[in-house]
Amino acid sequence: MISEKMQNAINDQINAEFYSGYLYLAMSTFAESINYKGFASWFRKQSEEENTHAFKLLDYLQERGGRAILKALGEPPADFKSIEYSFEQTLSHEKTITARIHKLYELAVGEKDYATQSFLQWFINEQVEEEATAEEILDQIKMVESKPGSLFYIDRHIGKRQ
Ligand code: FEO
């Protein structure tokens, strides 16, 4: 059986992952509104991926005999100014999520909860990938900053994400 403290912490993380999904969906609709269909599609897929992270935590919690409690979601911004700014926000958001996952892991270590430590390994590795991807796309965007029209090439390329 999982401790109450761990249960609360995992419930908070479920909320954070669903919020991530909501945030990326907001970025998707923003990208669509300024005619970057490739980026819109990328953010939408990212949003769906975040929902799977939330479900992964929810299933684990229930498997351990805990109770998943769904809390209110925060309201994401509607305007992200530019595609570059959206990816700056993505990178900074992912860094926040990484810090949260590390805190969860520290709690699991402190409680000698070996099952949760093992479960969280997947999230620790996933965060390395999430940060690297956001950083890579941001670098590409910055590289074409001064060349008008070039962002559309990245948009077309990025829209091919499966
Ligand atoms: Fe589920 Fe992007 O962290």
Side-chain angles (χ1 to χ4, degrees), residues 87-141:
F87 277 96
E88 276 167 5
Q89 292 300 105
T90 299
L91 181 57
S92 125
H93 182 70
E94 287 305 327
K95 285 182 177 168
T96 309
I97 295 291
T98 300
R100 292 187 63 108
I101 295 286
H102 290 175
K103 277 242 166 306
L104 258 184
Y105 189 84
E106 282 163 25
L107 180 62
V109 170
E111 291 194 352
K112 293 191 166 66
D113 181 345
Y114 301 111
T116 302
Q117 287 173 43
S118 166
F119 169 74
L120 288 173
Q121 284 298 335
W122 184 89
F123 280 89
I124 292 170
N125 296 335
E126 175 69 10
Q127 282 312 118
V128 172
E129 204 180 295
E130 297 262 280
E131 281 189 33
T133 305
E135 202 151 14
E136 194 184 310
I137 298 171
L138 187 57
D139 285 347
Q140 286 174 14
I141 293 169

Side-chain angles (χ1 to χ4, degrees), residues 15-161:
N15 185 267
E17 299 289 349
F18 274 130
Y19 175 75
S20 303
Y22 215 28
L23 176 67
Y24 296 138
L25 190 56
M27 289 184 188
S28 172
T29 62
F30 167 73
E32 180 80 36
S33 76
I34 53 169
N35 298 317
Y36 286 106
K37 289 194 184 307
F39 288 114
S41 160
W42 190 91
F43 278 120
R44 189 165 170 136
K45 281 174 189 136
Q46 188 63 26
S47 169
E48 286 163 6
E49 196 175 298
E50 295 301 348
N51 291 343
T52 69
H53 295 171
F55 279 113
K56 215 177 175 80
L57 287 152
L58 185 147
D59 288 341
Y60 173 73
L61 184 55
Q62 303 203 132
E63 202 174 9
R64 293 286 313 278
R67 171 86 214 275
I69 308 280
L70 301 179
K71 300 174 185 186
L73 286 179
E75 185 177 312
D79 188 6
F80 293 92
K81 293 190 253 188
S82 66
I83 294 295
E84 182 174 338
Y85 184 73
S86 303
F87 277 96
E88 276 167 5
Q89 292 300 105
T90 299
L91 181 57
S92 125
H93 182 70
E94 287 305 327
K95 285 182 177 168
T96 309
I97 295 291
T98 300
R100 292 187 63 108
I101 295 286
H102 290 175
K103 277 242 166 306
L104 258 184
Y105 189 84
E106 282 163 25
L107 180 62
V109 170
E111 291 194 352
K112 293 191 166 66
D113 181 345
Y114 301 111
T116 302
Q117 287 173 43
S118 166
F119 169 74
L120 288 173
Q121 284 298 335
W122 184 89
F123 280 89
I124 292 170
N125 296 335
E126 175 69 10
Q127 282 312 118
V128 172
E129 204 180 295
E130 297 262 280
E131 281 189 33
T133 305
E135 202 151 14
E136 194 184 310
I137 298 171
L138 187 57
D139 285 347
Q140 286 174 14
I141 293 169
K142 283 187 169 152
M143 257 189 271
V144 301
E145 216 165 23
S146 54
K147 299 174 195 139
S150 300
L151 199 53
F152 276 104
Y153 287 100
I154 302 179
D155 180 71
R156 206 175 302 167
H157 174 73
I158 222 162
K160 290 183 183 138
R161 172 185 176 173

